[in-house]
Amino acid sequence: MQLSRYESMSLVINILYVYTVFKFIRTFMGKRRVRWYVELISYFMFYGVIAVVMIFFNRIIINMASSILSFYGLALLYQGTIKNRLMAAITVFMTITCTELLGAALCGYLQFDNFYGKNDYSSVAATIFCRILSFIIVLIYENFKHMRQGVDIPVSNWLALLFIPIGTFYIIINIMLVGNDRQVLIAVSVFVLLGINIIVFFLYDAMNNYYEEKLQKMMLQQQNESYLKQMEVMNSSHENVRSVRHDIKNHLIAIETFVKREEKKEAIDYIHKVIDASYGDKAIVSTGNIAIDSILNYKIEQARAKGIEFEKEIRIPTELNIEDLDIVGILGNLIDNAINANMQINEGRKIFLSLKYSKNMFFIATWNTFNGKVVYRDNKIATTHKDKEHHGIGLNNVNSIVQKYDGTMNVGHEDKVFKVDVMLYLK
């Protein structure tokens, strides 16, 4: 069976189409539930299906039905309910269909036939344009999804990424104009260019995943350290209580003596000493939320050890609908920044923290003294700490987590007081 020039080129172009569908469904569905090689084989099979349909059954109804069924089958590779998978299949189909209709309209507006005449190459150019336009749409959707999940990707990076498929389309058009009689050469060139696009975006995804995992590990390490410190605080408190209980008889005798002598002040002072010896100020925060108690007790003890006065106002329920890593990330970074800022001054060191919850809204406010010097880089407050690798996350990381919960973060400073106000929507 002899394939037409359009069919041959379409088989090459559909490689990018398959990769576009892969990125779209993976972004929509999230984590896969099968092994990587099953996922890979499934997309190879998907490529085979669209190739067979295009060559032997090129009808609108058959194309639509095969696309929706294929998209639903691919959605089965990922975790989710039947409803979510069906929604993913329909959303991907409608998005790609609408994008191709838009691409076809733009091709008519750009008058591709004037470049090639009414031949297979004008159809190939239009197909390439539609496929690349679909790819750009999925990149924009993926970027929006990352922003919602708290992954901060600079605008300059995304503009550079969008330039790759656009530049590829320009190069392919020029190749087809120069060598319109060299079908094999054009097919190979298009294949190589599309392959470069796929490899570049695959490497970019891999780098994003690497840095995201690195960030999660740093936050998890911080959380684990705070939990260990909290255990030490609890064990210390328990030891103090056991010690006091062991001597409870002697304490009661001493208090009885003060009472008999009508030495009220001495009796009260002695009772306060017993209370302090039993509990002391070790259990600084006790909300019932283990993650919050752990990170705050750990950080407050760090601050006080450095000679920083720490005040707090906490009115929150025990249960909050927020992931432990997220709240640890927010509080850990805010307090770390406040401690680092206070260490730049010699006296009057102070940190204030407020946690409040009302009607599914979680309010976090901090202010701290600092030397009054603020460094801005790219319109963002930058770290002044020497160890920039571990202290460069700071407010950017907090803001990323805030975006995940559709919240807001306001940063301000006046005189020598630095303030951060955070508001999260907890469903």
Side-chain angles (χ1 to χ4, degrees), residues 76-176:
L76 293 175
L77 301 173
Y78 305 91
Q79 295 180 357
T81 62
I82 295 177
K83 180 181 177 181
N84 289 340
R85 291 170 182 146
L86 185 59
M87 183 64 67
I90 295 174
T91 302
V92 173
F93 173 78
M94 293 302 299
T95 302
I96 292 178
T97 301
C98 292
T99 303
E100 291 184 348
L101 290 174
L102 175 62
L106 288 174
C107 288
Y109 177 78
L110 296 173
Q111 298 180 341
F112 274 19
D113 288 347
N114 291 342
F115 285 97
Y116 309 100
K118 293 186 177 180
N119 54 38
D120 286 345
Y121 277 123
S122 62
S123 299
V124 170
T127 302
I128 294 174
F129 181 80
C130 292
R131 295 295 187 236
I132 290 180
L133 186 60
S134 297
F135 191 48
I136 291 174
I137 294 298
V138 78
L139 290 179
I140 295 173
Y141 174 77
E142 187 179 39
N143 183 38
F144 178 74
K145 186 73 175 289
H146 282 162
M147 290 172 59
R148 297 275 295 180
Q149 292 177 340
V151 180
D152 186 19
I153 300 176
V155 175
S156 58
N157 289 9
W158 273 103
L159 291 177
L161 285 175
L162 291 178
F163 176 77
I164 295 174
I166 295 173
T168 299
F169 177 70
Y170 176 78
I171 294 172
I172 291 175
I173 292 297
N174 280 277
I175 291 174
M176 295 170 64

Side-chain angles (χ1 to χ4, degrees), residues 142-155 157-158 204-205 207-213 215-216 326 380 396-405:
E142 187 179 39
N143 183 38
F144 178 74
K145 186 73 175 289
H146 282 162
M147 290 172 59
R148 297 275 295 180
Q149 292 177 340
V151 180
D152 186 19
I153 300 176
V155 175
N157 289 9
W158 273 103
Y204 186 80
D205 284 343
M207 290 177 61
N208 273 342
N209 292 334
Y210 169 76
Y211 284 111
E212 190 174 351
E213 289 176 4
L215 176 61
Q216 290 290 332
D326 292 335
K380 293 181 179 180
N396 289 336
N397 183 40
V398 173
N399 188 53
S400 296
I401 300 173
V402 169
Q403 296 301 320
K404 178 178 177 180
Y405 292 89

Side-chain angles (χ1 to χ4, degrees), residues 161-360:
L161 285 175
L162 291 178
F163 176 77
I164 295 174
I166 295 173
T168 299
F169 177 70
Y170 176 78
I171 294 172
I172 291 175
I173 292 297
N174 280 277
I175 291 174
M176 295 170 64
L177 283 172
V178 173
N180 56 5
D181 292 329
R182 301 179 181 180
Q183 181 177 350
V184 176
L185 180 61
I186 293 175
V188 172
S189 299
V190 172
F191 177 80
V192 172
L193 284 171
L194 296 181
I196 291 173
N197 275 258
I198 292 173
I199 291 172
V200 168
F201 283 97
F202 178 80
L203 292 176
Y204 186 80
D205 284 343
M207 290 177 61
N208 273 342
N209 292 334
Y210 169 76
Y211 284 111
E212 190 174 351
E213 289 176 4
K214 183 178 180 181
L215 176 61
Q216 290 290 332
K217 287 180 180 179
M218 289 176 59
M219 293 173 61
L220 184 59
Q221 181 180 3
Q222 186 179 52
Q223 184 186 35
N224 289 339
E225 288 176 355
S226 67
Y227 282 169
L228 290 174
K229 192 65 179 180
Q230 177 72 355
M231 290 300 297
E232 293 177 8
V233 171
M234 292 172 64
N235 290 334
S236 177
S237 297
H238 289 163
E239 288 296 326
N240 288 336
V241 171
R242 288 177 60 189
S243 176
V244 171
R245 285 178 178 174
H246 182 267
D247 296 330
I248 191 67
K249 181 178 179 181
N250 296 329
H251 292 311
L252 290 175
I253 291 174
I255 294 171
E256 182 184 24
T257 302
F258 286 125
V259 172
K260 286 181 178 179
R261 295 177 182 176
E262 297 185 354
E263 297 175 347
K264 181 179 178 181
K265 182 178 182 303
E266 287 75 5
I268 293 175
D269 289 342
Y270 191 88
I271 292 172
H272 286 164
K273 290 179 181 179
V274 173
I275 293 174
D276 290 340
S278 301
Y279 302 98
D281 62 349
K282 291 295 184 180
I284 303 168
V285 177
S286 180
T287 66
N289 186 303
I290 297 177
I292 293 177
D293 291 349
S294 298
I295 190 65
L296 289 186
N297 285 331
Y298 181 33
K299 293 300 179 183
I300 291 174
E301 187 169 322
Q302 275 188 339
R304 290 180 175 174
K306 296 178 183 292
I308 302 173
E309 181 184 352
F310 201 111
E311 293 185 2
K312 61 190 182 301
E313 181 183 4
I314 301 176
R315 297 200 300 268
I316 59 173
T318 300
E319 299 293 333
L320 289 172
N321 190 23
I322 182 172
E323 294 183 15
D324 289 349
L325 282 179
D326 292 335
I327 189 60
V328 167
I330 292 175
L331 295 177
N333 277 294
L334 290 180
I335 299 176
D336 278 344
N337 288 346
I339 292 175
N340 292 332
N342 271 283
M343 296 310 295
Q344 304 299 318
I345 59 178
N346 297 322
E347 58 182 14
R349 298 173 177 175
K350 190 171 183 178
I351 297 175
F352 174 79
L353 170 70
S354 173
L355 302 181
K356 297 179 181 179
Y357 179 83
S358 176
K359 298 179 180 179
N360 295 331

Side-chain angles (χ1 to χ4, degrees), residues 46-104:
F46 171 61
Y47 177 83
V49 168
I50 60 177
V52 170
V53 170
M54 181 190 68
I55 296 172
F56 298 103
F57 309 100
N58 195 9
R59 298 291 185 273
I60 293 179
I61 299 299
I62 297 178
N63 287 338
M64 292 176 59
S66 62
S67 295
I68 294 176
L69 290 174
S70 297
F71 294 159
Y72 182 79
L74 293 173
L76 293 175
L77 301 173
Y78 305 91
Q79 295 180 357
T81 62
I82 295 177
K83 180 181 177 181
N84 289 340
R85 291 170 182 146
L86 185 59
M87 183 64 67
I90 295 174
T91 302
V92 173
F93 173 78
M94 293 302 299
T95 302
I96 292 178
T97 301
C98 292
T99 303
E100 291 184 348
L101 290 174
L102 175 62

